[in-house]
């Protein structure tokens, strides 16, 4: 095992933390104004493999729906 820093608080090199994920994704967002201060907000995103293959991710589309209120 390799230490990332010495006991004196000096870090000898740079360190990038990552989970080993690889993915290409796309998404769509939509907002529909219901009233003057009320809107319906929706979004969809999914992963695709045309640039890089998916690796170490949850492989499925996500959809969200919400309401936006302006004060």
């Amino acid at each position: 095992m390799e230490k990332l820093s010495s006991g004196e608080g000096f870090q000898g090199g740079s360190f990038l933390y990552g989970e080993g994920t690889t993915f290409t994704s796309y998404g769509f967002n939509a907002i529909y104004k219901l009233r003057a201060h009320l809107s319906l907000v929706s979004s969809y995103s999914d992963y695709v493999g045309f640039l890089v293959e998916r690796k170490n991710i949850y492989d499925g589309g996500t959809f969200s729906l919400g309401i936006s209120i302006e004060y």
Side-chain angles (χ1 to χ4, degrees):
M1 181 173 250
E2 190 174 324
K3 288 177 71 176
L4 298 176
S5 64
S6 66
E8 294 82 38
F10 172 75
Q11 187 171 347
S14 63
F15 176 71
L16 177 63
Y17 179 75
E19 296 291 330
T21 60
T22 304
F23 62 91
T24 304
S25 67
Y26 67 92
F28 299 100
N29 298 314
I31 300 173
Y32 180 75
K33 196 151 193 97
L34 298 171
R35 299 184 190 239
H37 299 287
L38 186 66
S39 299
L40 183 65
V41 181
S42 66
S43 67
Y44 177 79
S45 63
D46 202 352
Y47 301 102
V48 293
F50 60 86
L51 292 179
V52 293
E53 290 299 318
R54 297 177 286 262
K55 180 180 174 187
N56 295 331
I57 64 165
Y58 165 74
D59 190 11
T62 58
F63 179 76
S64 67
L65 187 65
I67 294 176
S68 171
I69 301 172
E70 298 175 41
Y71 289 103

